[in-house]
Structure formats: structure tokens, C-alpha cells
Amino acid sequence: MERGKVTMDRNADAPWSKFDPEVYVDDNYRTPLEVDLLIVRLMRDYFTRCFDGAAPRSVRGVDVGAGANLYPALSMLPWCEKLLLLEFAPPNVEYLEKQVSPAGYDIAWDPFWDVLREAPAYGAVDRPRDRIGEVTRVEQGSLFDLEGGTRRWDLGTMFFVADSMSEAPEEFHRGVRCFMGALAGGAPFAAAFMKESVGYRVGDHDYPAYRVNEATVAQSLEPFTGELEIHDLHHSVRPGHEGMLLALGRRSTEVAAP
């Protein structure tokens, strides 16, 4: 964070209504970064292994805190009969609704689909722009709305959310619990985190972060998982963090309320 800026400890303090998705996409995805393409490959291969032999388009998926990032949703597309994009910030909700409209998603997401479709399950998806519009619903809501585990999904993603919404450790751990509690027993998941992030700027506004490392992420996820692998990706995309962490795993088959 910039010296002299006002600290925003809690999620509720951040200016989410002013989040600019177009700036965010331009800064992070318009020109694909190698680390994101690596993440997409790792997700693609992991989900393919998890669903080996399973019927396509037979599960319900969720991307929690989807933001202005469509590649997690695309990574779930071959297996989803229904896909929910849950997002809190109104500008991001509007952006996502455009991406899944009949007009089709932005060409910025084509390079990510090109990587995904190298695997047969993805290559078998005919007209992904049409398909994502057919199965996807965008809902405005908070990660914390999932507390209590009243809704559960068979496949889930959470990218740069629990660690990138608050500086408070209890909100980070609560966010992870809410995500994991929203998954059915045995559900595959992918969750990404900015390593040692001190916050980030989108356009003219600063947003908070909770500093995490591989041990922090493992500690938060392990109580809920029957299978877990954490990839420490040593790629920095901006000042103020030390890389990215990608957690791939399955929800424990013994599901308890978060």
C-alpha cells in the first residue's frame, strides 16, 4: 500500500462499489500473463483427473467472488450443468452479466480457453461462448453469505478472494471456511491466493489484503480437505506481493457446517 493511505482493516471498509472491472482486466488479463496460463493448465489437468470417466455436464459448479475474471468459470465448463458466479461488487456483477450474455464473452478470455481446450474434455465443448451463457447465472452476494452451508456445490473455485478482501486474519479464515462449507463431500476445488500481499490498487482506489504464505493457506484448508496440493508459483505481477499460491484439492467426504 502507498505510504500515508488510510488503512482499511475490514472487508466492509473497502470501496467495492467503485471497483473498475475494465481497468482490472486491462491490468491483469488483456495480455495473458504466463503465471495465469500456468494456473489454467494446472487447473485443467487437475479437474480432468478428478472427473476422469465421469459424465460431462452433470455437476453444479460455483465460482465464489468471481470478480472480473472468467477463467475459473471456463475451467469448470465441461462438467457443469449449472454454474453460479457469486460476486459482491456491483460493477463486477454487471461485467460478469455481460460476459455470459448472448453476445458472448470478451476476446480477452480466448487465450485462456485455448490453453484449456488442449485437453480433450474441454476440446469437446462446442461453442464455449454459447455454452457458458446457457449454464451460468450471476448472483450478487458476499462470500460470507455462504456461512452455514445451506447450499452445496459439486465443484468450486475461489480466486484471490479470501486473502484480497480484508486485512483481518479472522475474516480471511472465515472466508475460507465459508467457501469450503459450500462444497459437497468429495467436490474438487481450486483456490488461488496472492502470496504476502500488502494490498493492491485498481484504478484510483486501494483495496486491502491479508498476508498469507503456503503454511497459512495449508492451515486454513487442511481441516476441510481429503486431498490437497499447494503450488507455490514464484511469479510476481506487481509490487507489493511475493508470488501466487494455487491450492487444488477435494472437499472431505465428511462435510460439517463451516
Side-chain angles (χ1 to χ4, degrees):
M1 289 291 189
E2 293 180 347
R3 182 175 295 177
K5 77 171 277 293
V6 177
T7 299
M8 298 175 295
D9 290 325
R10 318 280 309 179
N11 175 62
D13 297 325
W16 300 114
S17 64
K18 298 177 181 178
F19 196 98
D20 191 327
E22 296 295 344
V23 169
Y24 188 79
V25 170
D26 286 345
D27 288 347
N28 295 281
Y29 305 123
R30 188 73 61 188
T31 300
L33 302 174
E34 183 54 40
V35 67
D36 285 304
L37 297 177
L38 174 58
I39 287 171
V40 166
R41 286 193 293 271
L42 289 167
M43 267 200 303
R44 175 199 70 193
D45 294 346
Y46 185 74
F47 289 161
T48 297
R49 291 197 303 272
C50 288
F51 288 104
D52 182 33
R57 303 176 185 177
S58 60
V59 306
R60 297 183 311 130
V62 63
D63 184 23
V64 175
N69 182 2
L70 204 63
Y71 74 63
L74 292 172
S75 76
M76 294 186 279
L77 194 56
W79 297 283
C80 287
E81 62 177 359
K82 293 183 180 179
L83 179 57
L84 176 67
L85 306 185
L86 183 69
E87 171 57 31
F88 180 73
N92 287 340
V93 171
E94 182 178 353
Y95 174 84
L96 291 169
E97 287 175 339
K98 290 179 180 177
Q99 299 306 303
V100 301
S101 72
Y105 52 77
D106 192 289
I107 60 172
W109 304 110
D110 286 342
F112 300 98
W113 182 255
D114 287 343
V115 170
L116 290 168
R117 68 188 178 96
E118 291 171 1
Y122 295 89
V125 176
D126 191 27
R127 299 189 304 276
R129 279 183 169 79
D130 293 341
R131 180 65 187 163
I132 201 167
E134 292 167 359
V135 303
T136 305
R137 179 172 63 88
V138 179
E139 178 181 317
Q140 184 172 13
S142 168
L143 167 61
F144 297 143
D145 293 341
L146 300 176
E147 201 155 30
T150 57
R151 294 188 289 174
R152 292 211 170 95
W153 286 268
D154 309 303
L155 175 61
T157 55
M158 180 180 69
F159 270 61
F160 314 116
V161 181
D163 59 316
S164 300
M165 64 181 184
S166 172
E167 296 172 2
E170 65 271 19
E171 290 198 314
F172 166 75
H173 290 290
R174 181 186 172 196
V176 171
R177 289 196 305 271
C178 287
F179 172 62
M180 296 304 296
L183 301 177
F189 69 87
F193 307 85
M194 299 299 286
K195 183 180 178 181
E196 298 290 355
S197 174
V198 297
Y200 57 106
R201 171 168 282 247
V202 179
D204 297 327
H205 301 282
D206 292 310
Y207 293 88
Y210 175 61
R211 298 185 70 159
V212 301
N213 55 30
E214 185 173 349
T216 313
V217 170
Q219 180 186 34
S220 68
L221 288 171
E222 282 175 348
F224 306 97
T225 57
E227 174 180 310
L228 179 65
E229 58 186 60
I230 298 176
H231 300 265
D232 191 344
L233 309 176
H234 301 282
H235 291 70
S236 295
V237 299
R238 55 170 171 77
H241 79 107
E242 296 180 9
M244 296 184 188
L245 300 166
L246 176 67
L248 301 169
R250 287 183 183 265
R251 178 67 158 97
S252 171
T253 54
E254 297 180 2
V255 177

